[in-house]
Amino acid sequence: MIPGDHPRYRSLVTRERLAECAKKGIVTGEGLTAHGRGEAFDYMLGERTTRSALIAERTAAALLLTARCPVISVNGNTAALAANEISSLQKACGARVEVNLFHRTEKRVNMIEKLLRDSGVDVFSGNAERLLPLSHDRAWCRREGMFAADVVLVPLEDGDRCAALVEMGKTVIAIDLNPLSRTARAATLTIVDELTRALPQITHSCREISEPEKKSLISSVNNHYLLSEAIREMTERLSHALD
Amino acid sequence: MIPGDHPRYRSLVTRERLAECAKKGIVTGEGLTAHGRGEAFDYMLGERTTRSALIAERTAAALLLTARCPVISVNGNTAALAANEISSLQKACGARVEVNLFHRTEKRVNMIEKLLRDSGVDVFSGNAERLLPLSHDRAWCRREGMFAADVVLVPLEDGDRCAALVEMGKTVIAIDLNPLSRTARAATLTIVDELTRALPQITHSCREISEPEKKSLISSVNNHYLLSEAIREMTERLSHALD
């Protein structure tokens, strides 16, 4: 339906795919809007993985590989955009994959778990309980999943849940294109990169990272530096945009 | 459903309202994503009308008031977010209001026209024809409406249509939060401000602007300056965001 000569063809097609998942109920209307916010920040990054994002991605791999109980939390947008990428990352780092939704219904959880399984993900499901110190449906998770985790990867997470997980003593890795979001600031480590670029990069790093590099990256996590660098890249690009 | 203690309550409620209009078919999934992009840029502006946006809004009023045939083009997002504001602006400047959609169906056009009429807008409808030099449904407009206009206000417009209207010799006023978008660059005058802040400001200016100010504003339109100023405001805010 979108004309092939449209200069933003690729971006429009991705949007249409999300809109399609929204019709099925996998992605919420709010999820579509959140995707748009991400697009704007990615546009300012030049739609590429920056040097500092690459450091964050390698550090994420190191944290996931050395975790006692790593968990990847998946929501509707993540499943719609990157079910295959989640499957590859799970194979590379051995993390549990758990579905956690902001707008939670049993039906949505089941649809998203099915979509993930169809892409080869070993989904950790079972009974969810209200275990996180939050109002709303965001409190739900599984006792042996996110609740037990020491390291949690939360792509596209809500700011409150991210902060709650950090307060519970967990190492939280966020993937968030907005370096100013509450999620980005609250997380232990924030990857300011687009989801389908970030996940394969973490997977790749899991496969080739050495023991000394792992130790060195983990001992030098500096999220303020990573966020400052992302902002610096954006402002630099913005300020030359009209040249 | 959204918890009242959520720090982004207002923004989430607006998003929910748009999602509601999406369920009715007034707003498209792609429209929700576009709204998200706007949110990101507005966040960087500090969610306020900047000094340069105010100049653009006063200039827009001057252009609309001196036009021979001013037309306001309304799409799904604009109707969902600002039907009342469109109605007030129409009363203040006497423009024709015409519905033009990227994802065009008769049913959507009728729903949006009804929404506008219910808010007091005098909608210019009637037979649309393929009159603009564009592929896709964006080519449709009305002979005595957008096609005949000398000044067109296009809130939240698609880049191609904006460029086509300029090439047809029209004065195009865009409202676009992204100062780097093709729409923002192609327009004669770009208002980098949020829709429901921008429209009342244009209406207010229509009511109180003097003849000499009108002439002075119209003779000094400088869109490159307006876009540069918007970008300067954003980069300044971004670069101090982590202080």
Side-chain angles (χ1 to χ4, degrees):
Chain A
M1 298 287 285
I2 293 162
D5 61 350
H6 198 289
R8 301 289 300 161
Y9 181 77
R10 192 167 160 264
S11 160
L12 292 175
V13 166
T14 305
R15 250 177 262 164
E16 202 166 52
R17 181 173 150 206
L18 276 173
E20 206 51 53
C21 282
K23 272 176 206 154
K24 293 182 197 157
I26 287 169
V27 167
T28 61
E30 288 79 359
L32 294 178
T33 310
H35 179 71
R37 286 201 305 286
E39 280 187 345
F41 286 106
D42 198 22
Y43 187 78
M44 283 187 283
L45 273 181
E47 295 174 338
R48 71 202 157 86
T49 300
T50 61
R51 206 186 59 85
S52 56
L54 193 60
I55 296 172
E57 283 150 3
R58 290 190 79 78
T59 309
L63 288 168
L64 287 167
L65 288 173
T66 54
R68 177 182 46 74
C69 176
V71 168
I72 303 171
S73 178
V74 173
N75 67 6
N77 280 28
T78 302
L81 289 171
N84 289 323
E85 288 83 349
I86 292 288
S87 174
S88 303
L89 176 56
Q90 179 178 45
K91 286 177 183 70
C93 76
R96 284 183 178 160
V97 173
E98 184 181 342
V99 173
N100 285 294
L101 306 179
F102 191 104
H103 295 274
R104 188 181 198 282
T105 65
E106 277 306 311
K107 197 179 156 220
R108 274 195 80 216
V109 172
N110 292 338
M111 273 195 297
I112 292 168
E113 290 188 346
K114 182 177 180 319
L115 193 159
L116 291 169
R117 286 198 183 98
D118 289 348
S119 300
V121 176
D122 181 11
V123 178
F124 186 76
S125 62
N127 284 336
E129 301 170 63
R130 285 188 163 276
L131 294 171
L132 305 182
L134 287 167
S135 65
H136 204 240
D137 291 338
R138 297 165 294 166
W140 291 81
C141 69
R142 289 163 195 80
R143 192 169 288 280
E144 302 304 316
M146 194 193 256
F147 188 71
D150 55 342
V151 175
V152 194
L153 174 65
V154 285
L156 322 178
E157 185 54 272
D158 158 65
D160 285 349
R161 186 150 57 188
C162 181
L165 293 169
V166 169
E167 275 162 38
M168 288 167 82
K170 301 181 193 304
T171 296
V172 179
I173 307 165
I175 303 179
D176 194 329
L177 277 159
N178 177 0
L180 306 178
S181 76
R182 292 179 308 118
T183 299
R185 290 165 184 244
T188 316
L189 176 77
T190 304
I191 298 167
V192 183
D193 200 3
E194 193 273 328
L195 186 66
T196 64
R197 292 196 304 266
L199 292 173
Q201 190 56 58
I202 305 173
T203 304
H204 173 72
S205 302
C206 280
R207 289 185 181 135
E208 59 139 48
I209 201 167
S210 68
E211 281 303 321
E213 190 187 351
K214 251 191 245 177
K215 277 186 192 143
S216 148
L217 285 167
I218 291 174
S219 66
S220 59
V221 173
N222 182 343
N223 210 40
H224 190 273
Y225 166 78
L226 293 173
L227 297 180
S228 307
E229 277 295 294
I231 290 169
R232 192 186 56 72
E233 298 264 8
M234 286 180 187
T235 51
E236 203 168 294
R237 219 184 126 77
L238 261 178
S239 55
H240 293 295
L242 290 185
D243 291 355
Chain B
M1 298 286 287
I2 293 162
D5 61 351
H6 197 288
R8 300 289 301 162
Y9 181 77
R10 189 163 163 268
S11 161
L12 291 175
V13 166
T14 305
R15 249 176 263 166
E16 202 165 53
R17 179 172 152 209
L18 275 175
E20 205 54 52
C21 282
K23 271 175 207 153
K24 292 181 198 160
I26 288 168
V27 167
T28 61
E30 288 78 1
L32 294 177
T33 311
H35 179 71
R37 286 201 303 285
E39 280 188 346
F41 286 105
D42 198 23
Y43 187 77
M44 284 187 284
L45 272 182
E47 295 173 338
R48 71 202 159 83
T49 299
T50 61
R51 204 186 60 84
S52 55
L54 193 60
I55 295 171
E57 282 149 5
R58 289 190 82 77
T59 309
L63 289 168
L64 288 167
L65 289 174
T66 54
R68 175 183 45 76
C69 176
V71 167
I72 303 172
S73 177
V74 173
N75 66 7
N77 279 30
T78 302
L81 289 171
N84 289 324
E85 289 83 350
I86 292 287
S87 174
S88 303
L89 176 56
Q90 179 178 44
K91 286 178 184 67
C93 76
R96 284 182 178 161
V97 173
E98 182 181 343
V99 174
N100 284 296
L101 306 179
F102 191 104
H103 296 274
R104 188 179 198 283
T105 65
E106 277 306 310
K107 197 178 156 221
R108 274 194 79 214
V109 172
N110 292 337
M111 272 195 299
I112 292 168
E113 290 188 346
K114 183 178 182 314
L115 192 159
L116 290 170
R117 287 199 182 97
D118 290 349
S119 300
V121 176
D122 180 10
V123 179
F124 186 76
S125 61
N127 283 337
E129 302 169 62
R130 285 186 163 277
L131 294 172
L132 306 183
L134 286 167
S135 63
H136 204 238
D137 291 340
R138 297 165 292 165
W140 290 82
C141 70
R142 286 161 198 82
R143 192 170 287 278
E144 302 304 316
M146 195 192 257
F147 187 72
D150 56 341
V151 175
V152 194
L153 174 65
V154 286
L156 321 178
E157 186 53 91
D158 158 64
D160 285 348
R161 186 152 55 191
C162 181
L165 293 169
V166 170
E167 276 162 38
M168 288 167 79
K170 300 178 192 307
T171 296
V172 179
I173 307 165
I175 304 179
D176 193 329
L177 278 158
N178 177 0
L180 306 178
S181 76
R182 291 179 309 119
T183 299
R185 290 164 184 244
T188 316
L189 177 77
T190 304
I191 299 167
V192 183
D193 199 4
E194 193 273 328
L195 186 68
T196 65
R197 293 196 304 267
L199 291 173
Q201 190 55 57
I202 304 173
T203 304
H204 173 73
S205 302
C206 281
R207 289 184 184 134
E208 58 138 48
I209 200 167
S210 68
E211 282 302 322
E213 191 188 351
K214 251 192 245 178
K215 277 187 194 145
S216 148
L217 285 168
I218 290 175
S219 67
S220 60
V221 173
N222 182 344
N223 211 39
H224 190 273
Y225 165 79
L226 293 172
L227 297 180
S228 306
E229 276 296 294
I231 291 170
R232 192 187 56 72
E233 298 264 8
M234 287 182 186
T235 52
E236 203 168 295
R237 219 183 125 77
L238 260 178
S239 56
H240 294 295
L242 291 183
D243 291 355

